[in-house]
């Protein structure tokens, strides 16, 4: 990197380019971008697109670590482009789409598999005892909310899927960290009664039992959701379910 008279440093970005409709294979394209000290990687990409190459495709929306749409690999690690600061990197910076997902175009990943898995685990409240409007809200105490609060902070950025070696190996099968964590978040909610429906999806070989507890999902999560701990909690709860079910049927004999 070198500094110009405006105080910006020339940063070399090596960006994966691929249009499945016209390219035989992905390739890397090098750009020299004048980056300010306070820029995140998304600022650098926006400069690149506005001034150097308008054909580059990538997703973003909020620029404040909330929408979860600017996930990409930066020097081989899953990151939010709006959180990774350019100043934290040396030399040529390689930028690629999220690992383990097909490429829609350039840095845009196809998210269909993740969306399908999210739907399967029913990540929404299924009231145990439905109420009429006249009966009022579904209330809970701050202590009841604390049981699941950490797991509710997920922004669906898919970084944990890009980091998960198990998802990379068995991607069409493993439901994966974020979807299972969201199922667990609703299972822990005192207002919910949908646990049995979700357990049919997540307490299975395609669910938690595919997880080998590498923990990379929690390492890369930008919102500190800690999906690895959620999956281990689901394993323990499912094991207790299994013992109770078999012990109860055995004790009735
Ligand atoms: S668990 Fe973390 S890394 Fe995974 S999708 Fe949610 S916010 Fe992103």
């Amino acid at each position: 990197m070198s500094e110009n008279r405006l105080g910006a440093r020339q940063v070399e970005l090596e960006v994966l380019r691929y249009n499945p409709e016209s390219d035989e294979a992905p390739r890397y394209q090098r750009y020299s971008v004048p980056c300010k000290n306070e820029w995140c990687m998304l600022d650098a990409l926006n400069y690149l697109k506005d001034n150097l190459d308008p054909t580059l495709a990538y997703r973003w929306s909020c620029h404040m670590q909330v929408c979860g749409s600017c996930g990409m690999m930066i020097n081989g690690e899953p990151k939010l482009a709006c959180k990774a600061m350019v100043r934290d990197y040396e030399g040529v910076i390689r930028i690629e789409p999220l690992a383990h997902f097909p490429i829609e175009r350039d840095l845009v990943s196809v998210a269909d598999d993740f969306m399908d898995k999210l739907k399967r685990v029913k990540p929404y409240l299924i009231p145990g005892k439905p109420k009429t409007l006249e009966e009022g809200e579904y209330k809970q105490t701050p202590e009841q909310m604390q049981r699941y609060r950490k797991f509710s902070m997920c922004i669906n950025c898919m970084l944990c899927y890009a980091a998960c070696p198990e998802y990379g190996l068995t991607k069409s099968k493993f439901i994966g960290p974020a979807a299972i964590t969201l199922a667990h978040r609703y299972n822990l909610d005192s207002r919910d009664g949908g646990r049995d429906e979700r357990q049919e999806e997540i307490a299975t070989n395609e669910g938690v039992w595919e997880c080998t507890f590498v923990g990379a999902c929690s390492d890369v999560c930008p919102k500190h959701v800690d999906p690895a701990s959620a999956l281990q909690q689901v394993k323990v709860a499912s094991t207790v379910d299994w013992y109770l079910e078999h012990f109860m049927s055995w004790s009735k004999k």
Side-chain angles (χ1 to χ4, degrees):
M1 301 181 202
S2 59
E3 196 162 313
N4 68 20
R5 63 189 175 80
L6 298 174
R9 289 184 302 168
Q10 289 301 128
V11 175
E12 300 295 310
L13 299 184
E14 193 168 62
V15 183
L16 186 139
R17 305 297 312 270
Y18 182 49
N19 182 347
E21 290 175 4
S22 57
D23 299 338
E24 278 187 14
R27 65 193 157 83
Y28 290 96
Q29 189 161 352
R30 186 78 78 91
Y31 301 94
S32 185
V33 182
C35 294
K36 294 186 178 166
N37 189 48
E38 68 272 20
W39 277 12
C40 62
M41 216 57 84
L42 181 58
D43 294 318
L45 289 174
N46 286 344
Y47 180 95
L48 190 169
K49 189 170 176 77
D50 288 345
N51 298 281
L52 305 176
D53 187 348
T55 68
L56 179 67
Y58 54 99
R59 281 197 189 103
W60 73 283
S61 180
C62 74
H63 199 299
M64 51 189 279
Q65 304 163 37
V66 171
C67 74
S69 55
C70 69
M72 53 189 72
M73 307 300 286
I74 301 178
N75 279 356
E77 293 181 12
K79 299 276 184 188
L80 292 181
C82 67
K83 189 173 185 187
M85 302 304 289
V86 177
R87 62 173 176 261
D88 292 336
Y89 292 82
E90 294 286 338
V92 179
I93 305 169
R94 180 169 272 201
I95 304 182
E96 300 162 297
L98 283 179
H100 306 154
F101 292 96
I103 300 174
E104 182 90 43
R105 187 171 155 184
D106 297 337
L107 302 176
V108 179
S109 306
V110 179
D112 295 3
D113 184 58
F114 174 59
M115 294 302 167
D116 289 344
K117 282 164 179 168
L118 264 188
K119 274 189 220 153
R120 275 172 59 185
V121 304
K122 303 186 178 174
Y124 43 80
L125 277 181
I126 302 173
K129 289 183 189 160
K131 283 181 166 185
T132 62
L133 270 181
E134 291 70 34
E135 288 174 301
E137 311 96 322
Y138 294 91
K139 291 183 178 171
Q140 65 183 180
T141 65
E143 291 74 26
Q144 287 171 324
M145 193 191 72
Q146 279 307 324
R147 291 187 69 209
Y148 65 79
R149 188 172 183 279
K150 178 171 71 168
F151 303 136
S152 72
M153 305 307 279
C154 176
I155 57 172
N156 299 336
C157 65
M158 307 192 301
L159 299 198
C160 52
Y161 285 74
C164 175
E166 211 56 42
Y167 184 71
L169 279 174
T170 67
K171 57 188 78 160
S172 59
K173 282 186 166 180
F174 185 30
I175 294 174
I180 294 174
T181 300
L182 279 169
H184 188 49
R185 170 254 176 274
Y186 286 97
N187 286 348
L188 291 176
D189 194 313
S190 59
R191 302 163 296 180
D192 186 82
R195 181 173 184 270
D196 289 348
E197 294 175 46
R198 295 189 199 97
Q199 288 297 97
E200 282 177 22
E201 293 290 341
I202 66 173
T204 62
N205 287 340
E206 294 184 5
V208 282
W209 300 112
E210 192 67 58
C211 166
T212 51
F213 199 13
V214 171
C217 51
S218 291
D219 291 343
V220 301
C221 178
K223 305 303 280 188
H224 309 293
V225 172
D226 198 4
S229 77
L231 268 67
Q232 306 327 301
Q233 289 177 18
V234 174
K235 284 180 187 174
V236 171
S238 305
T239 304
V240 171
D241 286 349
W242 190 89
Y243 273 106
L244 283 177
E245 187 186 326
H246 287 77
F247 179 74
M248 297 300 274
S249 58
W250 172 78
S251 64
K252 283 179 192 158
K253 285 179 186 169

